[in-house]
Structures are given as C-alpha cells and as structure tokens.
Amino acid sequence: MGDGEALEALMSRYASRIYRLAYGITRSAPDAEEVVQDVFLQIVNKGAGFEGRAALGSWIYRITTNVSLNKRRGKRRELETPLDELLPTFLPDGHRAGDRAFVVADWSSTPDRELLAGESRRLLEAAIDRLPAHYRAVLVLRDVEELSNEEVAEIVGDTVAAVKTRLHRARMALREQLTRDLRTGA
Amino acid sequence: MTCRDAIDILADYVDGAMPAELAAELERHLAGCEPCRAYLATYRKTGMLGAIAGRVDMPAEMQTRLRRFLSEQLRRA
Ligand SMILES: [Zn+2]
C-alpha cells in the first residue's frame, strides 16, 4: 500500500472523529481545522507501522485532546462561566437550599426537534460554549464518542474518579443553564 | 437519602453503572421527591441533547483542503 492509499485509509477512518472532538473542545471550526491538520501531521511524521495498531485510536484521541486544549488556552476564556454558579446547592442537612439554587422546572417532555431548532438550539450551543474547555473534553469523549470512564481517564491523563466528577458537573451545569434559559421563555 | 445524596449519584444511575441496591434506594427517594424526579429527567435529556449537538461533521471543503495539505506534506517528506 502506497503512502497516498495509507493516508486515505487513515483519513476515512479518523478525520471525522478528530474533527468532532476538536470542534467539541475548541467550539470553533477554524481552530478545529488547524487541530485536524496538526494531528494528521503527527500521524504522518510517526511514519508507517501504524496501520492496525490497536492503540492508535486512543493515541489519536489523546493527541487531539491535548492539541485542542492548547489551542483554547488563553482564547475566548471570557465566555466561560464559573461552574460553581451552575451547580445545585444544599443546606447542611442535604435538603435543597431555596428555589434559586435548584431550578426544577421539568422541560424534559419538550420534543427534541423543538429543543434542537431555532432559539432553543442557539441557547444549547451557547450553554456548551460557556463550559470550561476541559469539561467539554470529557463531555464529548463520554457522551458523543461514547467511550468508557476508563478510556477517557487514559486519554485525558486523569483518574477515573476525576473523570466521573467532571462529567457529572458538566452535565449539571449544562442542565442548569438550559433550565434557566428555557424557563425564561425561549 | 437526601436530595444532595440523590443528585450526587445521578451520573452512575443514568449510565447504568450502579449497584442494584443503591439504585433501588435512589428510586425510593425519587418516588417521593418531585423536584429530584424533574432534576433527573432534565439531566438525562441534557445528556442526550449534548450528544446530538456534538455530532458535527467535518465540512466537505475542509476534507478537500486536508487531503491537499497532506499530499503536499507527503511529497515534501
Ligand atoms: Zn429529592
């Protein structure tokens, strides 16, 4: 197999996955494009002997995550909301601390097509934008790429417990923003 | 089980990674706590929406640019 063919095989296998993850972390198409080029350059520079190696998938995820997070560094930081403001708070006895801290409106029966279109969609995308990038990384690897907690821990270089905490906090923060936005009449 | 305990363990519950006994205890709390039921329902829905929103495709013109970029790189190598 020539270089061109090998590359074509790698592209069809990995390009869309790399782009999806890079976009999920950077939330910018031009940044994601640069990440994809960078990652493929690293693949090319590693040379032959890649094909069929079982660890290639997780190596690619790891490189893509790192390059994407580096690209984010110092950029668009002002968009990110401190997560703590979006997490539920409780009284010392474990009961909910008031109405404001724990918005309980149940919008879950709203049809997906309605939530994924128009103003609701815009609010969803904006809520994802406001998550800190390293939370988005875990969210995408788990909920979009559907990897296990163990695989994600390996990719982001953290413990399984830390990955689980980050995923839960990311989902809660997103839920809180959506609930506030949808309740105030999207 | 308090509401705080319930909310703390929702990720494992939603991901189906919870011992049956703990899941049963959580379900007992949920049966008697409407706000936590609403929280769980919207938490689950949020995960689904995030997953759908995250399934973006690489634009076709970007694939073309990438292919061109890489063949140039290979020629130079
Ligand atoms: Zn409760």
Side-chain angles (χ1 to χ4, degrees):
Chain A
M1 181 153 56
D3 277 350
E5 284 167 75
L7 200 60
E8 193 59 40
L10 281 171
M11 264 197 67
S12 64
R13 193 145 171 216
Y14 293 111
S16 54
R17 257 189 269 183
I18 297 170
Y19 179 77
R20 205 161 51 221
L21 177 57
Y23 182 83
I25 297 173
T26 62
R27 300 289 291 166
S28 146
D31 282 354
E33 179 167 18
E34 285 178 27
V35 172
V36 173
Q37 290 191 352
D38 194 338
V39 171
F40 267 99
L41 269 191
Q42 296 199 41
I43 295 174
V44 169
N45 291 337
K46 278 220 156 191
F50 251 138
E51 213 46 39
R53 204 182 289 177
L56 180 58
S58 93
W59 181 83
I60 285 178
Y61 277 131
R62 195 158 57 239
I63 298 293
T64 304
T65 301
N66 288 338
V67 175
S68 301
L69 287 173
N70 278 334
K71 200 155 271 307
R72 276 287 304 196
R73 206 150 284 160
K75 253 196 200 177
R76 302 172 70 208
R77 262 282 152 88
E78 68 283 0
L79 277 179
E80 295 174 2
T81 308
L83 226 54
D84 286 340
E85 290 173 13
L86 298 169
L87 302 180
T89 55
F90 301 92
L91 299 172
D93 67 359
H95 285 97
R96 281 182 309 282
D99 205 55
R100 234 195 52 203
F102 192 111
V103 180
V104 292
D106 188 352
W107 45 269
S108 67
S109 55
T110 310
D112 281 3
R113 66 181 139 66
E114 210 171 294
L115 291 167
L116 289 164
E119 181 64 2
S120 303
R121 179 58 178 258
R122 199 191 59 73
L123 292 168
L124 171 64
E125 300 288 344
I128 297 172
D129 281 342
R130 285 196 295 268
L131 287 179
H134 65 293
Y135 281 86
R136 274 203 303 272
V138 169
L139 203 62
V140 174
L141 289 165
R142 280 293 324 272
D143 287 349
V144 181
E145 299 304 306
E146 299 181 331
L147 301 177
S148 68
N149 287 320
E150 289 72 18
E151 289 168 313
V152 176
E154 168 93 26
I155 289 163
V156 301
D158 219 329
T159 64
V160 170
V163 165
K164 285 170 74 166
T165 302
R166 223 187 287 169
L167 175 70
H168 187 42
R169 288 167 63 97
R171 287 174 177 167
M172 287 194 293
L174 212 51
R175 189 215 74 94
E176 185 72 23
Q177 294 188 73
L178 290 177
T179 304
R180 288 179 190 178
D181 290 344
L182 294 171
R183 197 183 50 163
T184 53
Chain B
M1 181 180 282
T2 66
C3 293
R4 184 212 300 263
D5 299 330
I7 301 301
D8 269 352
I9 57 175
L10 283 188
D12 277 349
Y13 182 68
V14 166
D15 296 337
M18 181 180 279
E21 222 168 280
L22 187 56
E25 202 187 323
L26 174 60
E27 281 159 8
R28 272 197 298 281
H29 177 89
L30 291 170
C33 184
E34 197 191 347
C36 278
R37 279 205 302 280
Y39 197 96
L40 171 62
T42 47
Y43 179 92
R44 210 192 279 274
K45 189 81 165 186
T46 297
M48 285 164 43
L49 293 175
I52 294 171
R55 276 183 225 129
V56 293
D57 284 321
M58 192 167 164
E61 70 274 13
M62 211 181 272
Q63 291 187 35
T64 309
R65 281 199 296 275
L66 177 64
R67 198 163 275 122
R68 198 183 316 131
F69 170 80
L70 289 172
S71 51
E72 276 164 25
Q73 293 297 324
L74 278 176
R75 224 175 299 128
R76 227 177 286 166

